[in-house]
Amino acid sequence: MTGIRLTAPAPGWAIDADVVVVGSGVAGLTTALRCAAAGLDTVVVTKARLDDGSTRWAQGGIAAALGEGDTPEQHLDDTLVAGAGLCDEEAVRTLVTEGPDAVRRLITTGAHFDTTDSGDIALTREGGHHRRRIAHAGGDATGAEISRTLVEAVREATLHTIENALVLDLLTDAEGRTAGVSLHVMGEGQHDGVGAVRAPSVVLATGGMGQVFSATTNPSVSTGDGVALALRAGAEVSDLEFVQFHPTVLFLGADSEGQQPLVSEAVRGEGAHLVDASGTRFMLGQHELAELAPRDIVAKAITRQMHEHGTEHMYLDARHFGARMWEQRFPTILAACRTHGIDPVTQPVPVAPAAHYASGGIRTDLRGRTTVPGLYACGEVACTGVHGANRLASNSLLEGLVFAERIAADIAETRPPRTEPVEAASEGGHAPVPLLAPEARTAIQRTMTRGAGVLRSAGSLATAAEELEALHRSAAADADPKDAVPGVDAWEVTNLLLVSRVLVAAAREREETRGCHWREDRPDRDDAHWRRHLVVRIAADRTPVVHRTETAAFPPVRAAD
């Protein structure tokens, strides 16, 4: 254990439970429902409202071998190819074999997927898939339907939920085992101010960290809180350098920042073309699947075209769909485009890559256990080994379902006893992490976009590391404590800085191009030296320590021994 915690008031209230689940997307709510069904006293903590996580923004769908002629083995093959040599095959096999039944259980819970005239689940294709295996709902509102289903189920089960709460740090007992979390409720939940949920099992399902970049498809709550908490608690993270930039995000201008509208890969799955300003399709001949190549390949191709043409975006042309198909199959995207003055029925849609999905995260085993006893991770915040160096389209919702069920089964089987948290000071006497002023958020995002975005190099990453370390030193110097009083904005930006420092440290270490990690100065994939994972932890002095594995296999999770 590191003994490192954020600067925050001591908890002024506490509740007890068997399990606390942090996050209310598909991973968190599925875990909570399964734990409650097993008779475990379960509390759900979420940063905003129950339905405000990343899940509801998922457009394309959920991938599973549900169609005639499709098999888990074919799904496995496509996933391994997309992962560029770094997927854990056992994890992928778990995903694709348990996935179809997990989707069927979701349907039993109440999810309504789009169907064909014959009543079968309607399936589409997305990048990297050789078969139609993407189930969708509401045309392009799959995540919203899954979120609706699970939120309703949680409310019907009368689970204890704490909304509008930012989780701060892990609580541990005298043996270093998980004993709950501290959290701050933002005035609208059941409790106010800083408090604690004391529980022997903590499940982090906090989603992504897209807000480390200036432009992202992630909602504003995706500030890497789970990864930062886990690092401070002494957990290992892995493969954080592999951030997937979605190729087709609606281009709103070079200076546009914050959450950007996604144009789902399913639009290309239904036959849209990527073209330059002259209308020329540039993916033809670059990959056997053309526009449906894996996302890293498409994002790189778009970026190359932008550089060659001296432009800030390319175009997605789906005018041949016609108005009826746009209105029925992609109503959400159609509305978003028209809101911004673009009519995809009559115009090509300007698109450019933006930060989308973290393929790495808190390292877990196949039961979601991390290297800290009693701490679990699930969904985008976790690194199960499923995604490798690049996530296959629409595998994320499936991963949340499958591994959530596995985590709940493990907790129900082990049922660890409740223990008493110890005070932070008795864990080693480390001073709390100094907070950054909220204004540093923009500086972090711009540094990361310039230095660790789609295109990276030794020079750009070194500059990014220097700028981030300067912010870290400035906070540590604590020249003006009035600038960073404890509060949500300061805690979020402090989390963003920690996650950014670790991401850049890993990206500097990986001197090759693989998956969604693209080094301009190291353009080739190097399996002999780099078909390895990078595992990072935070030392007691708060510096990232990067370790390269000896093989492509993950080392065992020590907490599971």
Side-chain angles (χ1 to χ4, degrees):
M1 304 300 293
T2 66
I4 302 171
R5 293 187 183 177
L6 288 170
T7 298
W13 53 269
I15 59 175
D16 294 309
D18 297 321
V19 185
V20 56
V21 177
V22 186
S24 60
V26 62
L29 295 188
T30 301
T31 304
L33 286 166
R34 296 291 183 271
C35 285
L40 295 162
D41 184 2
T42 305
V43 174
V44 176
V45 176
T46 188
K47 196 171 178 181
R49 298 190 311 271
L50 275 181
D51 61 353
D52 272 345
S54 293
T55 290
R56 74 182 180 99
W57 297 100
Q59 295 174 343
I62 185 166
L66 297 165
E68 184 176 354
D70 198 6
T71 63
E73 198 70 25
Q74 294 175 68
H75 190 181
L76 179 141
D77 289 342
D78 285 346
T79 301
L80 295 180
V81 169
L86 281 185
C87 295
D88 180 279
E89 186 167 340
E90 186 180 359
V92 178
R93 193 172 297 281
T94 298
L95 177 82
V96 299
T97 55
E98 297 181 11
D101 283 343
V103 173
R104 294 184 185 103
R105 283 189 288 274
L106 182 62
I107 293 171
T108 301
T109 303
H112 300 291
F113 289 96
D114 297 337
T115 57
T116 64
D117 292 340
S118 61
D120 296 326
I121 295 175
L123 301 172
T124 190
R125 277 182 69 193
E126 291 185 355
H129 293 272
H130 282 78
R131 282 190 174 273
R132 286 183 169 265
R133 65 167 67 96
I134 315 299
H136 48 83
D140 57 358
T142 311
E145 172 60 14
I146 291 174
S147 182
R148 178 202 65 78
T149 301
L150 294 174
V151 168
E152 286 187 5
V154 164
R155 287 176 174 152
E156 288 174 8
T158 63
L159 288 185
H160 188 162
T161 61
I162 304 175
E163 297 181 293
N164 303 296
L166 172 64
V167 169
L168 302 175
D169 280 305
L170 190 73
L171 304 178
T172 53
D173 64 16
E175 304 299 320
R177 200 183 189 288
T178 292
V181 291
S182 59
L183 67 159
H184 173 79
V185 182
M186 295 172 254
E188 297 179 32
Q190 185 175 343
H191 308 272
D192 289 336
V194 174
V197 180
R198 297 181 298 212
S201 298
V202 171
V203 183
L204 297 177
T206 52
M209 55 185 191
Q211 291 291 328
V212 301
F213 296 97
S214 296
T216 177
T217 62
N218 289 194
S220 60
V221 295
S222 298
T223 50
D225 307 317
V227 170
L229 177 152
L231 283 164
R232 287 192 297 270
E236 294 178 349
V237 304
S238 187
D239 302 347
L240 218 61
E241 68 272 28
F242 296 118
V243 176
Q244 186 177 79
F245 285 76
H246 198 288
T248 54
V249 175
L250 184 62
F251 181 75
L252 301 180
D255 297 327
S256 182
E257 297 182 338
Q259 186 177 10
Q260 311 289 299
L262 178 66
V263 182
S264 170
E265 196 151 4
V267 178
R268 281 175 282 136
E270 296 291 355
H273 302 146
L274 283 166
V275 298
D276 59 23
S278 67
T280 302
R281 291 178 66 186
F282 54 85
M283 285 305 300
L284 294 175
Q286 295 208 31
H287 191 276
E288 60 165 337
L289 296 176
E291 280 90 356
L292 287 177
R295 287 180 178 172
D296 62 311
I297 293 171
V298 179
K300 291 171 189 175
I302 292 174
T303 305
R304 285 194 189 102
Q305 291 292 317
M306 288 160 52
H307 283 194
E308 290 175 11
H309 290 264
T311 60
E312 296 173 326
H313 61 82
M314 287 287 115
Y315 294 93
L316 188 66
D317 191 352
R319 290 175 290 179
H320 53 284
F321 284 5
R324 183 179 179 187
M325 181 172 175
W326 269 108
E327 290 163 0
Q328 293 184 351
R329 181 67 178 86
F330 301 110
T332 308
I333 299 169
L334 177 64
C337 289
R338 286 178 170 169
T339 296
H340 293 284
I342 299 154
D343 188 350
V345 177
T346 60
Q347 299 171 268
V349 179
V351 293
H356 183 56
Y357 190 89
S359 294
I362 307 164
R363 191 166 75 81
T364 74
D365 64 9
L366 297 187
R367 288 187 275 181
R369 299 180 294 188
T370 73
T371 52
V372 174
L375 179 66
Y376 297 77
C378 191
E380 188 174 355
V381 74
C383 183
T384 61
V386 158
H387 304 304
N390 183 46
R391 176 177 69 96
L392 181 65
S394 289
N395 268 357
S396 55
L397 293 174
L398 191 71
E399 181 191 34
L401 277 180
V402 168
F403 286 90
E405 293 183 345
R406 290 180 143 255
I407 288 172
D410 190 72
I411 296 172
E413 179 184 334
T414 56
R415 293 182 183 267
R418 298 178 184 180
T419 56
E420 194 68 25
V422 296
E423 294 296 326
S426 65
E427 291 185 24
H430 297 287
V433 174
L435 304 178
L436 270 72
E439 295 75 30
R441 182 171 182 146
T442 300
I444 293 169
Q445 292 170 331
R446 292 178 178 174
T447 289
M448 292 297 291
T449 298
R450 285 193 305 267
V454 178
L455 298 178
R456 301 167 177 176
S457 67
S460 76
L461 291 165
T463 300
E466 291 170 6
E467 293 175 359
L468 295 171
E469 287 307 310
L471 287 170
H472 176 66
R473 289 193 300 271
S474 175
D478 201 21
D480 189 354
K482 296 189 298 295
D483 286 344
V485 297
V488 172
D489 291 340
W491 288 320
E492 282 188 337
V493 74
T494 302
N495 285 339
L496 285 173
L497 178 62
L498 175 55
V499 172
S500 296
R501 291 172 64 223
V502 171
L503 192 160
V504 169
R508 294 182 76 183
E509 183 80 9
R510 184 171 291 281
E511 296 182 338
E512 64 158 356
T513 289
R514 182 186 297 271
C516 50
H517 172 68
W518 188 7
R519 287 280 298 258
E520 292 180 281
D521 54 332
R522 303 280 183 168
D524 299 320
R525 173 171 154 176
D526 181 1
D527 279 355
H529 299 96
W530 287 105
R531 191 164 174 250
R532 309 283 190 274
H533 298 280
L534 293 178
V535 176
V536 189
R537 60 178 178 82
I538 291 294
D541 64 358
R542 304 182 188 125
T543 58
V545 178
V546 184
H547 166 70
R548 185 182 353 176
T549 61
E550 296 181 0
T551 69
F554 276 125
V557 172
R558 290 190 299 273
D561 294 342

